Amino acid sequence: MSGPETSEAVVDVAIVGGGMVGTTLAAGLGSAGLSVVILDAEAPAVMTAAPFDGRSSAIAFGSQQVLAGVGAWTGMVPAAQPILDIRVSDGDGAGGVSRLFLHYDHRALAGGADAQSPAPFGHIVENRVIRGALLRRLGELPTVRHVAPARVAGLSEKNGAVALNLEDGGAIVARLAVAADGRNSPLRAAVGIEVTEWAYPQTGIVCTVAHERPHGGVAHEHFLPAGPFAMLPMVDDEDVHRSSIVWTERRELAPQILALDDAAFAAEMERRFGLSLGRLRPLGRRWAHPLTLVHARRYVDHRLALLGDAAHAIHPIAGQGLNLGLRDVAALAEAVVDAHRLGLDIGDALVLERYQRWRRFDNVMLMAVTDGLNRLFSNDVGPLRLARDLGLAAVNQLPPLKRLFMRHAMGMVGDLPRLVRGERL
């Protein structure tokens, strides 16, 4: 790893953005022998030294296979809490929980040789653990360089490649550039890719909580008029039972909730979630994010591909944001590696169009589903509430449909790249 520099030698791929999605792509491409440079605005040492900050991510089973395929999953296992059951419930209109609910049990998908050890739906892992494992994996790959801190000022064509011009005057030349620089992607804006975007009247509050009783590996999604309240199981910290919450609240009320002291904040959590896990207590910092939907009109440009939030950002209602990004990684890595092995130009428009076609339908469908669910459940209209509850109860009694939804939750439905299927890239 090094600081900003000028590289006249052409590398295969330059990735702008050193977050979880960008570093996973670098690990996959580096494992396949391609030369990769990551341009990151923040030094890796800052990320690896970060203390516990309360932020975690849901890693679906398909995404776990991607992380395993790029060689990073084993570094996360000790801190990864399996999701064994998922319980979806609706408010009853009187501040309680409806008696009609949807329950997913991971054992229902077991069969044949897997009957004794069915795979969990996924895992909950702290973001700092994910970042640390990915950075350690990158350090094992001789063809990957991490250039940080570095900021890209612009890009230009250069003799069948693309030059990423840095703010300090240096440049990196690559056959393919990848924008993994977030939902407000400067690189996407620099090439003029427009987005469809709207803001929800909601804020997402994220933190870690301690609770008196063990969670049993159960993830809860409780729908309230202001939006969903998710309680996601985490690995215990010594004798402290922990979960991560993703609390969707009305935008105008969120600042008041964030300003509460710990006791009052815990009381508000208990009022929404109940006491099934005993008394709740916040741990660490609280985070708040205005909720928006962002979708790029196209995912590719000349020798450029958009990845993760730079291409799409969705409502957190199903915890699928990072999982969509990791499926992007699997598809782009496969398209690029296949072209490389055939001796083709990895930045060619046909290679990038394969990636775009592969990922666009899946992303659009999940964006539509999460947006629709948020609009359907984030209200307290009596007839709609009754229809929702009957729908949840009906699915709960239909095993074939229930199993299909469970496979969706695991990220194992559709035209899956090799990494998602657990195969070598």
Side-chain angles (χ1 to χ4, degrees):
M1 298 184 183
S2 62
E5 59 186 75
T6 297
S7 174
E8 288 302 326
V10 179
V11 299
D12 291 319
V13 181
I15 301 170
V16 180
M20 294 181 285
V21 170
T23 48
T24 303
L25 178 65
L29 296 177
S31 298
L34 279 76
S35 57
V36 182
V37 170
I38 304 176
L39 299 169
D40 197 352
E42 191 167 25
V46 174
M47 292 188 287
T48 54
F52 168 75
D53 65 9
R55 292 183 293 180
S56 300
S57 292
I59 305 295
F61 175 72
S63 297
Q64 173 198 332
Q65 301 217 105
V66 174
L67 292 168
V70 304
W73 176 248
T74 54
M76 306 176 199
V77 169
Q81 169 61 48
I83 302 172
L84 304 179
D85 290 41
I86 301 174
R87 187 183 178 102
V88 182
S89 58
D90 195 11
D92 64 0
V97 179
S98 170
R99 287 178 293 180
L100 302 175
F101 60 87
L102 178 59
H103 177 232
Y104 295 147
D105 183 336
H106 76 297
R107 293 171 296 184
L109 288 174
D114 294 330
Q116 301 303 316
S117 56
F121 292 111
H123 294 77
I124 303 298
V125 189
E126 286 183 45
N127 287 2
R128 62 172 181 158
V129 172
I130 299 172
R131 290 193 299 262
L134 284 164
L135 289 171
R136 287 193 296 275
R137 175 57 179 154
L138 296 184
E140 299 169 354
L141 298 170
T143 62
V144 177
R145 286 192 298 137
H146 204 142
V147 179
R151 295 183 182 276
V152 177
L155 71 169
S156 57
E157 294 185 40
K158 185 169 183 177
N159 300 327
V162 61
L164 293 161
N165 304 306
L166 308 181
E167 288 185 353
D168 70 349
I172 298 293
V173 181
R175 294 180 178 84
L176 173 65
V178 176
D181 49 350
R183 69 176 61 202
N184 297 315
S185 170
L187 204 54
R188 181 187 68 212
V191 299
I193 297 179
E194 297 181 346
V195 299
T196 298
E197 180 176 13
W198 63 76
Y200 294 102
Q202 297 166 313
T203 294
I205 299 171
V206 179
C207 72
T208 297
V209 299
H211 38 82
E212 294 177 318
R213 302 188 187 107
H215 48 59
V218 180
H220 297 265
E221 183 95 65
H222 180 38
F223 290 106
L224 299 168
F229 187 106
M231 182 79 76
L232 308 174
M234 295 176 64
V235 169
D236 289 347
D237 184 10
E238 296 180 348
D239 59 346
V240 177
H241 304 306
R242 302 188 304 163
S243 290
S244 173
I245 67 163
V246 183
W247 172 357
T248 302
E249 189 51 80
R250 296 195 307 274
R251 186 185 303 161
E252 66 274 13
L253 185 59
Q256 302 170 43
I257 292 173
L258 290 164
L260 295 174
D261 62 28
D262 282 356
F265 188 81
E268 290 295 325
M269 287 192 293
E270 292 171 358
R271 190 163 71 86
R272 288 159 175 80
F273 182 74
L275 295 174
S276 60
L277 294 177
R279 305 311 297 259
L280 305 179
R281 174 170 56 89
L283 297 173
R285 181 176 172 182
R286 307 167 197 170
W287 301 83
H289 309 279
L291 301 183
T292 59
L293 182 148
V294 179
H295 190 231
R297 301 287 178 86
R298 63 182 192 277
Y299 295 177
V300 300
D301 197 75
H302 180 69
R303 295 192 177 276
L304 173 69
L306 306 185
L307 195 70
D309 283 357
H312 47 77
I314 65 173
H315 194 284
I317 192 168
Q320 291 298 312
L322 176 59
N323 293 302
L324 276 185
L326 292 177
R327 290 206 288 276
D328 287 352
V329 166
L332 182 59
E334 186 167 325
V336 168
V337 168
D338 285 354
H340 178 72
R341 287 172 178 160
L342 292 171
L344 303 176
D345 180 355
I346 63 172
D348 184 78
L350 291 177
V351 175
L352 300 183
E353 182 58 30
R354 178 190 176 196
Y355 161 68
Q356 178 170 249
R357 284 198 313 269
W358 202 348
R359 292 302 305 141
R360 193 169 187 84
F361 179 76
D362 182 33
N363 290 332
V364 169
M365 287 299 295
L366 192 55
M367 292 175 78
V369 168
T370 54
D371 181 69
L373 286 174
N374 183 58
R375 294 176 190 275
L376 175 64
F377 281 91
S378 298
N379 63 75
D380 200 25
V381 178
L384 273 179
R385 187 173 64 249
L386 176 61
R388 312 192 285 255
D389 293 350
L390 291 174
L392 290 175
V395 172
N396 207 42
Q397 300 302 317
L398 294 171
L401 184 58
K402 195 172 174 181
R403 283 194 292 271
L404 175 63
F405 287 168
M406 285 191 278
R407 289 187 62 80
H408 268 289
M410 297 174 78
M412 298 302 293
V413 173
D415 184 8
L416 302 177
R418 291 194 294 268
L419 285 173
V420 177
R421 299 197 304 263
E423 301 172 8
R424 293 177 61 87
L425 185 60

